Amino acid sequence: MTSATLVYHMTKQPNMGQVLVTAPSNVAVDQLTEKIAAIGLRVVRLASKTRENTVSSVDHLCLHIMTAQAAGDEYSKLKRL
């Protein structure tokens, strides 16, 4: 929760834009993503192509899932690109 709190306070700084957060493992990124979302910040989790088929607790926050939901039937075409 400490890392998520730090991210929260960074976003509240004057003239602070978006914040990129990384962690040493995919599990750590998933946990941090959950915590950041829980404190009310908008978060998008980026996953590598090889992890797109891996189920996680933050799937609803993953860019590839959001893209698929927004594109609907067009997603298969988009994925080929």
Side-chain angles (χ1 to χ4, degrees):
M1 191 60 144
T2 302
S3 297
T5 303
L6 288 170
V7 171
Y8 176 82
H9 287 292
M10 286 176 66
T11 63
K12 300 305 175 190
Q13 296 296 315
N15 300 321
M16 177 62 72
Q18 297 174 349
V19 176
L20 175 66
V21 180
T22 63
S25 71
N26 286 307
V27 172
V29 171
D30 288 348
Q31 290 175 350
L32 189 52
T33 300
E34 284 180 344
K35 301 292 184 195
I36 292 171
I39 60 174
L41 294 177
R42 193 174 111 202
V43 59
V44 176
R45 200 245 198 256
L46 302 177
S48 70
K49 183 105 174 125
T50 58
R51 280 213 25 112
E52 286 183 0
N53 294 326
T54 304
V55 177
S56 77
S57 59
V58 294
D59 278 348
H60 63 287
L61 299 171
C62 290
L63 181 62
H64 66 280
I65 300 293
M66 291 181 195
T67 304
Q69 291 171 346
D73 293 336
E74 296 294 315
Y75 182 68
S76 60
K77 293 178 188 174
L78 183 62
K79 193 170 183 175
R80 281 193 304 251
L81 293 174

